Amino acid sequence: MTIDSTLSLSLNIKSMFSSGQTNEWLIGRFTSTGERKLFEQLYDNCSNDLYHFLLTLSDHATAKDICQKTWLKVFEKPHLYSESGRFLAWLFTLARHALIDELRKSQRLDCNEKTLLDLPSEGLPNEDSPALALADAFNQELTALPFEQREAFCLQQEGFGLQEIAKITYSKIETVKSRLRYAKSSLRKNLEKYHD
Amino acid sequence: MTKRDNDEIDLTSLYQARKKQYKSPAALKRKVLKEAMGAKYSTRFFSGFQQVAIAAGTLLLISLVAIQYYDFNHSQPQLTYTLVEVHSIGEQENNQYAEISRKYDQHYQQFKQKQALLVSHHSKSAVLNQMEGGWELVTCDKELLKVSDELVNTLKEMDLIGDTLQAGDNVNIAFNRYGLIVGIHQSKLNKSC
């Protein structure tokens, strides 16, 4: 079993135990009943993952905006969720669609923004602590990655397998593998000095 | 665990640590729920409004039909007079119509026969030799044709003979299918036999 699939499985199990019900069950029930508490439970289960993913690929304002749009779409059209896949994969696909549209509108898709500059000051590291310096460097290096590599890396860290990442990003598995390899290699190379 | 595995774990740990720092704002949840509920109620309102509108429309339609039906059944009958003139064929008139029809057919047949008589069937070139006491015409086949004054006058009345003909003129004699003369005209080609 690979590290990717182990990570994915552990996150799924964690999700099941933390909420009591799987996200797939919750969206299914919400589709049929429209109960607000089911939607809230789904939101609580996935909102942090989604927000962080979007924040890593854009900035605070865009991430909030896209999160809101995505969750409203889930609320209004839960029947669009296909039961064959994971709810989180569908959610991320919706969000990515909206994000790409937004970035295209504002012509920011190709530019490699350093979103960290937009992050609040309390997130910045203490120069004296090596761990925080490493975290700070990681933040900087992650946001400096090309969009596709950053996206693939984030999705993998969120527990998606290669096939799911390929589906979410409309890419070939080989392309995803390549992006992940470059992303990790770049991060390792640039973080090496902080690690030691 | 290899060094590579350690690196992988490091990246994941760093990512998770970063994630903990940037959680979804609580205000966002409130905003999403507020908007979602607002959309739900407005959808319900419009859905309810649509239902009310459809019901009101149906009621109005039924009322209109009912009123018309009531008027039709309870309104006072209005007398109107219309002059009716009937044209039909009775037995006596039928005989008269049959007679008219028979005569018409008869005249029509006569007309067709006369028309057939006057239709030119073939012609011959000839020279007009004499015009006094009946016409004499000599055809190119050396046939001598004598035409009586009565026939000449009849043909002239029917404009079937040229007015300007003189003795010695080359003419075309038109015959019908029975060989009767139905026209004598000056030859346009002015050719002689």
Side-chain angles (χ1 to χ4, degrees):
Chain A
M1 191 180 280
T2 63
I3 290 168
D4 292 340
S5 52
T6 311
L7 185 67
S8 173
L9 186 64
S10 65
L11 286 169
N12 280 339
I13 292 167
K14 187 183 156 194
S15 166
M16 272 177 68
F17 281 100
S18 63
S19 62
Q21 307 289 354
T22 62
N23 293 327
E24 291 69 36
W25 183 87
L26 287 170
I27 186 70
R29 287 287 296 165
F30 176 67
T31 307
S32 54
T33 63
E35 277 183 61
R36 177 184 162 146
K37 65 175 183 183
L38 295 169
F39 177 76
E40 274 191 72
Q41 211 171 331
L42 267 177
Y43 185 95
D44 292 339
N45 289 349
C46 313
S47 62
N48 285 335
D49 296 345
L50 183 69
Y51 178 74
H52 181 258
F53 170 69
L54 292 169
L55 181 67
T56 310
L57 295 177
S58 59
D59 54 61
H60 270 300
T62 311
K64 274 200 264 187
D65 188 38
I66 301 301
C67 264
Q68 192 179 336
K69 281 182 186 169
T70 308
W71 282 111
L72 282 175
K73 191 158 189 180
V74 172
F75 187 87
E76 285 164 7
K77 298 174 179 175
H79 56 277
L80 295 180
Y81 162 68
S82 153
E83 287 178 11
S84 58
R86 281 205 293 156
F87 168 75
L88 206 60
W90 179 60
L91 182 74
F92 273 61
T93 308
L94 290 181
R96 185 183 176 272
H97 259 296
L99 178 68
I100 298 286
D101 283 348
E102 183 61 34
L103 295 180
R104 276 191 184 136
K105 263 187 234 169
S106 54
Q107 297 179 333
R108 285 187 292 160
L109 188 60
D110 296 329
C111 81
N112 191 12
E113 284 185 55
K114 301 240 178 191
T115 53
L116 191 66
L117 298 175
D118 195 30
L119 295 178
S121 58
E122 61 265 24
L124 293 174
N126 184 342
E127 289 290 327
D128 301 330
S129 161
L132 290 177
L134 180 64
D136 180 34
F138 176 74
N139 279 342
Q140 295 219 24
E141 294 305 328
L142 179 62
T143 50
L145 284 175
F147 184 90
E148 289 85 3
Q149 289 181 26
R150 207 178 343 153
E151 179 183 57
F153 179 77
C154 283
L155 288 170
Q156 192 183 45
Q157 294 303 316
E158 291 299 338
F160 293 107
L162 289 173
Q163 208 154 11
E164 281 178 315
I165 299 172
K167 202 174 167 186
I168 292 169
T169 59
Y170 295 95
S171 310
K172 290 177 184 171
I173 290 183
E174 291 306 315
T175 312
V176 173
K177 275 185 190 171
S178 167
R179 285 173 185 167
L180 283 170
R181 195 169 56 247
Y182 278 115
K184 285 178 184 173
S185 162
S186 173
L187 286 172
R188 277 193 205 110
K189 188 182 164 190
N190 294 318
L191 293 175
E192 206 170 345
K193 55 187 174 189
Y194 299 95
H195 191 49
D196 297 335
Chain B
M1 196 178 279
T2 61
K3 186 173 187 314
R4 184 184 166 81
D5 288 340
N6 277 324
D7 288 342
E8 295 264 356
I9 291 163
D10 280 343
L11 288 177
T12 304
S13 302
L14 285 167
Y15 183 87
Q16 294 303 328
R18 182 180 191 271
K19 204 171 153 183
K20 279 179 188 165
Q21 285 182 333
Y22 305 114
K23 289 189 173 177
S24 176
L28 187 61
K29 183 182 175 182
R30 287 195 296 275
K31 201 175 173 186
V32 167
L33 288 173
K34 192 181 167 189
E35 291 218 8
M37 288 300 134
K40 191 177 175 179
Y41 289 130
S42 66
T43 310
R44 273 189 190 168
F45 171 76
F46 281 113
S47 171
F49 182 76
Q50 277 178 349
Q51 285 172 0
V52 169
I54 291 168
T58 311
L59 192 67
L60 189 68
L61 190 68
I62 291 168
S63 305
L64 284 171
V65 171
I67 288 165
Q68 282 198 339
Y69 183 74
Y70 181 84
D71 280 352
F72 181 76
N73 284 334
H74 295 86
S75 60
Q76 293 292 328
Q78 290 181 346
L79 294 174
T80 52
Y81 297 96
T82 306
L83 182 65
V84 180
E85 204 172 272
V86 179
H87 292 255
S88 63
I89 300 172
E91 203 168 306
Q92 194 181 349
E93 287 82 357
N94 196 11
N95 290 338
Q96 288 175 356
Y97 275 112
E99 183 63 20
I100 290 168
S101 179
R102 192 186 60 74
K103 282 186 177 173
Y104 174 80
D105 284 345
Q106 194 180 346
H107 288 298
Y108 184 69
Q109 288 303 321
Q110 285 174 356
F111 167 74
K112 292 288 281 182
Q113 282 171 4
K114 283 180 181 173
Q115 204 177 27
L117 282 174
L118 293 172
V119 170
S120 174
H121 184 259
H122 60 277
S123 65
K124 284 184 178 178
S125 295
V127 177
L128 180 59
N129 272 355
Q130 184 186 314
M131 296 179 79
E132 298 297 327
W135 287 14
E136 278 187 11
L137 299 123
V138 180
T139 67
C140 291
D141 304 330
K142 301 298 178 195
E143 284 180 83
L144 177 63
L145 297 176
K146 288 196 171 188
V147 184
S148 69
D149 281 334
E150 289 78 13
L151 180 56
V152 169
N153 290 333
T154 305
L155 290 172
K156 274 182 179 175
E157 281 172 9
M158 295 168 75
D159 288 331
L160 296 173
I161 287 184
D163 293 333
T164 56
L165 288 177
Q166 292 178 349
D169 284 348
N170 288 315
V171 293
N172 274 327
I173 307 168
F175 296 91
N176 70 3
R177 58 191 296 190
Y178 305 111
L180 299 174
I181 294 170
V182 290
I184 300 170
H185 297 284
Q186 193 156 22
S187 175
K188 288 176 183 172
L189 298 173
N190 206 19
K191 66 175 183 181
S192 56
C193 297

